[in-house]
Amino acid sequence: METTKPESWNTPSEPKAENKKVVAGILGILLGGFGIHKFILGYTQEGIIQIVITLVTCGIGSMIGFVEGIIYLTKSDEEFYQTYQVGKKGWF
C-alpha cells in the first residue's frame, strides 16, 4: 500500500493573524496626536492617554505618535507582530 503526501494546494493552512504594521505606522505619523494608531492595534486605554497628552501639551505630545509610527515602520513584519500584536507592548 502506497502512502501519498497531501498536495500543498489542498492542505489547510493555519490562518495567520492580520499584521497591522503599515496602517498603524502611517496613522501614527499622520494622526499620532489622536492616538488612532493605538486604537487600530487594540490599545484603547493607551489611545485615550495619547489624546489627553496631546491636549494637555497643546499638540506637542503628538510627537510621541510620530516617533511610534516611524518605529513601527522600521521593524520587520515578524518583529512588529510579535512585539505589538502578540506581546501587547503599548508604548514604544
Side-chain angles (χ1 to χ4, degrees):
M1 186 174 234
E2 184 180 321
T3 58
T4 59
K5 188 176 180 183
E7 296 151 350
S8 62
W9 63 270
N10 198 20
T11 306
S13 62
E14 299 263 338
K16 186 173 181 187
E18 180 183 0
N19 192 337
K20 302 174 182 179
K21 173 184 150 179
V22 175
V23 174
I26 291 173
L27 288 174
I29 291 171
L30 298 177
L31 300 171
F34 299 112
I36 303 297
H37 61 293
K38 299 285 190 189
F39 293 112
I40 291 291
L41 293 173
Y43 303 139
T44 306
Q45 182 178 2
E46 288 87 347
I48 293 169
I49 292 170
Q50 180 67 51
I51 293 171
V52 171
I53 289 172
T54 300
L55 292 174
V56 169
T57 62
C58 298
I60 297 172
S62 64
M63 290 304 294
I64 295 171
F66 181 79
V67 170
E68 283 184 328
I70 292 172
I71 290 171
Y72 292 169
L73 293 175
T74 57
K75 289 191 178 288
S76 69
D77 289 345
E78 184 61 29
E79 186 180 9
F80 176 85
Y81 177 75
Q82 289 299 322
T83 304
Y84 298 106
Q85 290 182 255
V86 173
K88 294 289 184 187
K89 182 178 177 187
W91 296 98
F92 296 100

